[in-house]
Amino acid sequence: MKILVVNGPNLNMLGRREKGIYGDVTLDSICEQMRALADGRCELEFFQSNHEGDIIDMIHRTDASGIIINAGAYTHTSIAIRDALLSVSLPIVEVHLSNVYARESFRHKSYISDIAKGVIAGFGAKSYLLALDWFLGELA
């Protein structure tokens, strides 16, 4: 089993940006925590881009069994990423580090949530681990 972990714009800046919201955790640290949890039970492929088209291309060419996605701000704006996710017909779990519903109202709309198996938000890096744990139990 392979899980594609997709991260959208500005997530490469974790640990340096808006620490009051996102904390000190870096994207590399999240990837390390996920590898430790997977412990050889699945292959993880990590991808981050600040460019919508690159994210779409990655989704199109994946050979994964499922996708964990934090599309960042594209969650709230990109019908194109939604369509790419629909085109591959894979189970998806949407994740967010912060509780998007406790933030600005424009963050309350997701173009991914209704096509995802689930949404995990507000638990920091643990949001990713909870998503991976679901895949490990569901697809193992």
Side-chain angles (χ1 to χ4, degrees), residues 31 33 36 43 51 53 67 97 125 138:
C31 295
Q33 291 176 51
E43 180 183 346
H51 305 282
I67 298 173
L97 295 160
E138 189 69 20

Side-chain angles (χ1 to χ4, degrees), residues 5 27-47 128-129 132 136:
V5 183
L27 188 56
D28 286 342
S29 173
I30 292 171
C31 295
E32 289 172 19
Q33 291 176 51
M34 293 181 79
R35 283 186 195 99
L37 177 62
D39 192 30
R41 294 179 286 172
C42 74
E43 180 183 346
L44 295 171
E45 181 175 7
F46 297 99
F47 180 78
Y128 288 83
L129 301 176
L132 178 57
L136 291 171

Side-chain angles (χ1 to χ4, degrees), residues 3-14 17 22 25-35 37-38 42 44-48 67-72 75 93-98 119-136:
I3 304 299
L4 173 63
V5 183
V6 176
N7 287 282
N10 300 308
L11 290 162
N12 57 306
M13 298 299 290
L14 289 176
R17 70 179 273 232
Y22 301 110
V25 68
T26 65
L27 188 56
D28 286 342
S29 173
I30 292 171
C31 295
E32 289 172 19
Q33 291 176 51
M34 293 181 79
R35 283 186 195 99
L37 177 62
C42 74
L44 295 171
E45 181 175 7
F46 297 99
F47 180 78
Q48 187 280 325
I67 298 173
I68 295 171
I69 185 166
N70 181 346
T75 301
V93 176
E94 177 185 345
V95 299
H96 299 284
L97 295 160
S98 67
V119 178
I120 304 169
F123 296 105
K126 191 167 186 173
S127 294
Y128 288 83
L129 301 176
L130 291 166
L132 178 57
D133 186 60
W134 180 81
F135 273 111
L136 291 171

Side-chain angles (χ1 to χ4, degrees), residues 75-76 94 96 99-113 119:
T75 301
H76 320 292
E94 177 185 345
H96 299 284
N99 178 356
V100 293
Y101 298 102
R103 297 185 62 194
E104 304 93 340
S105 61
F106 65 83
R107 296 185 194 276
H108 300 179
K109 170 65 179 163
S110 167
Y111 284 101
I112 300 170
S113 295
V119 178

